[in-house]
Amino acid sequence: MTKTHRIAVGGIHTECSTYNPVLIRAADFHVMRGAELTGSDYFAFLAEDDVDVRPLLHARAVPGGPVERKTYEAFRTDLLARLREALPVDGVYLAMHGAMFVEGMQDAEGDWIEAVRAIVGPEVPIAVSYDLHGNVSQRIIDQIDMFAAYRTAPHIDVADTMQRAWSMLLRCLRTGDRPFVTWAKIPVLMPGERSSTEDEPAKSLYAALPGHDTRPGIWSADQMVGYVWADEPRGTAAAVVTATDGGEAAAVATELALAYWQARHDFAFGPVTGPLDKMLDMAKAAQTQIRAQTQTQTGPVILADSGDNPTGGGVGDRGNVLAALIARDWQGALVAGITDALAVEACFAAGEGATLDLSIGASLDPAGATVRAVAHVLRLAPGDGGAFRQAVVRIGGITLVLAARRRPYHDIADFTALGLDPAQVGLLVVKSGYLSPDLAPLANPNLMALTDGVVNQDIPRLANDHRAPGLYPWHPDATFVPAPVRSARAPG
């Protein structure tokens, strides 16, 4: 008779800039509990004939500032209570991000995973999946048995990575083989915009990872970029290897760490980048050239407002780019979007077709720019229960999307839901770093403005009070010799 494996599944997934003053609270999370989790497309891969899934809790939020302490503790308490009710279990799978920062706490994922380990005991294997922009610590490594991280940025392998972690856990339970984790810190920390796997050197570094998986005793070889906008001690790149062969694991971790270190000076922005004014000059020149050559629109110039990118932990409420466009009397631009609940509320009060004077921007973080403008309300979208209301307005030749709650506009569906076609505008402005897979093919060209904000790209100027010393680029003359360390759970 085939044994049925009881596996608990849960996790928490968000990314937190310690420079962002806006806390992530309970209402910002999408939470699945119990059957909601197993019935979701997100966890569709869990179904197996020999598995009895014990769904706990999974909470996921758009990146932002630190997670409110009481919000984190409520989720943690809920998950642990469900885990106690699910006992006994044969394994645990936790779907994490790795760059969560909770107010007043260092290494929040370490706290979360350690609490799970304390309940299930030392014999139960734990597998985790991570974003490659997560941060790792020895505390985390010492609690887990299997680790898998995304290998693409932009992230197009989320489902594959989650399934890789899940498959390792099933392999462990089905065969009785017990892997362990070995890791090597790499004293490098850079933004995702300089380490996209679509550009070199990350492209080649990450393309090599599956080859390491086939080496004797290696189950998964992973390269972490880390999360640069969290000023905490664990912030660093790392090589993380799941294996049953300690010598081979140390060799792979060393090779990955050295390759990443040696390439540190080669990481660069993929798109054309520069100050906002320069990028707008280039956008205007590109539009003029396109019209002269084709007489038709062949795709928008896409401008990324990188310093205010909500998917990187930005606030998403700065009006700086909008102000610059208005000053230039720009025609044919679509700006998506600016978070400003009060402006959205004013638009709903006025109604579609109304014209009103609006104050836009810096509604959450006063450090940003506020724009006052006369706006014509084109469209109102109520959203789910009013919390996600949006308003589309026109200011001169500019179409602007306003959102009541922080969110990105990175998918075509974000626009079509509002009756907008981003392919038909001359200039599309999004709060982004590297472009999403949906938008990137439209760009003609793709420009990235090095704007201010809590996820700005001027990394050496970020406050650096808690990170480890000798970290590149803060210390450009740092030296490095890889020193792989095994999990405390490794045999011997």
Side-chain angles (χ1 to χ4, degrees), residues 22 308 315-320 338-343 359-371 402 431:
V22 183
D308 201 30
V315 180
D317 74 336
R318 298 175 72 93
N320 306 63
I338 296 177
T339 302
D340 193 323
L342 292 178
S359 174
I360 301 165
S363 63
L364 297 172
D365 182 2
T370 300
V371 175
L402 295 167
K431 290 185 180 293

Side-chain angles (χ1 to χ4, degrees), residues 327-338:
R328 290 172 176 245
D329 191 26
W330 203 284
Q331 301 297 307
L334 170 58
V335 179
I338 296 177

Side-chain angles (χ1 to χ4, degrees), residues 228-280:
V228 72
W229 291 293
D231 184 10
E232 59 175 337
R234 64 178 180 156
T236 178
V240 185
V241 181
T242 302
T244 54
D245 185 313
E248 197 71 10
V252 171
T254 297
E255 290 174 31
L256 296 181
L258 274 178
Y260 198 88
W261 171 257
Q262 290 166 356
R264 68 192 182 281
H265 297 298
D266 300 328
F267 289 95
F269 296 118
V272 175
T273 60
L276 176 59
D277 282 342
K278 181 180 179 181
M279 294 300 97
L280 290 178

Side-chain angles (χ1 to χ4, degrees), residues 379-467:
R379 189 170 296 105
L380 298 171
D384 183 9
F388 294 92
R389 294 192 300 179
Q390 300 169 86
V392 182
V393 302
R394 178 171 293 136
I395 300 171
I398 303 164
T399 301
L400 168 66
V401 180
L402 295 167
R405 182 169 291 181
R406 296 176 58 257
R407 55 159 297 164
Y409 291 86
H410 290 180
D411 299 327
I412 299 297
D414 298 332
F415 297 89
T416 55
L418 297 172
L420 300 171
D421 185 354
Q424 298 304 312
V425 300
L427 174 66
L428 173 63
V429 177
V430 289
K431 290 185 180 293
S432 181
Y434 48 65
L435 295 183
S436 67
D438 253 15
L439 294 183
L442 299 181
N444 188 27
N446 170 14
L447 305 174
M448 189 169 79
L450 301 179
T451 49
D452 288 332
V454 301
V455 291
N456 76 78
Q457 299 291 324
D458 193 358
I459 303 306
R461 292 186 61 190
L462 294 176
N464 190 31
D465 299 324
H466 303 290
R467 296 183 186 88

Side-chain angles (χ1 to χ4, degrees), residues 71-232:
T71 292
Y72 169 79
E73 291 181 346
F75 286 147
R76 180 181 180 275
T77 298
D78 192 347
L79 176 118
L80 297 180
R82 292 172 182 273
L83 178 58
R84 291 187 185 96
E85 291 177 2
L87 295 177
V89 296
D90 301 305
V92 179
Y93 166 52
L94 298 174
M96 311 294 285
H97 180 288
M100 176 172 60
F101 184 89
V102 176
E103 59 175 348
M105 178 185 292
Q106 298 282 358
D107 194 5
E109 280 86 4
D111 176 78
W112 184 278
I113 298 169
E114 191 174 66
V116 170
R117 171 59 69 196
I119 289 175
V120 300
E123 300 304 318
V124 174
I126 296 177
V128 299
S129 57
Y130 264 56
D131 189 303
L132 62 86
H133 298 125
N135 290 325
V136 186
S137 68
Q138 190 65 46
R139 181 185 186 187
I140 292 168
I141 297 296
D142 285 344
Q143 305 305 319
I144 64 175
D145 303 274
M146 288 147 277
F147 181 96
Y150 304 165
R151 291 173 171 176
T152 62
H155 309 314
I156 59 175
D157 66 333
V158 175
D160 290 343
T161 301
M162 294 172 70
Q163 189 154 12
R164 183 155 49 93
W166 179 246
S167 296
M168 284 194 289
L169 180 57
L170 295 184
R171 177 181 175 184
C172 170
L173 294 175
R174 288 167 177 167
T175 66
D177 293 339
R178 294 302 293 261
F180 55 89
V181 179
T182 299
W183 76 307
K185 294 182 182 180
I186 310 167
V188 175
L189 199 54
M190 64 182 66
E193 287 73 15
R194 295 182 73 97
S195 53
S196 169
T197 58
E198 295 185 348
D199 305 312
E200 295 293 355
K203 183 177 182 178
S204 294
L205 292 171
Y206 278 83
L209 294 178
H212 290 292
D213 294 348
T214 65
R215 292 168 62 162
I218 303 299
W219 286 28
S220 183
D222 292 283
Q223 175 63 59
M224 304 298 290
V225 171
Y227 181 65
V228 72
W229 291 293
D231 184 10
E232 59 175 337

Side-chain angles (χ1 to χ4, degrees), residues 272-334:
V272 175
T273 60
L276 176 59
D277 282 342
K278 181 180 179 181
M279 294 300 97
L280 290 178
D281 289 343
M282 293 182 69
K284 181 61 71 177
Q287 285 185 293
T288 300
Q289 183 179 18
I290 289 169
R291 284 194 296 266
Q293 291 177 348
T294 68
Q295 303 301 312
T296 60
Q297 179 66 36
T298 59
V301 177
I302 301 185
L303 177 67
D305 178 5
S306 64
D308 201 30
N309 172 20
T311 60
V315 180
D317 74 336
R318 298 175 72 93
N320 306 63
V321 178
L322 176 63
L325 293 174
I326 292 173
R328 290 172 176 245
D329 191 26
W330 203 284
Q331 301 297 307
L334 170 58

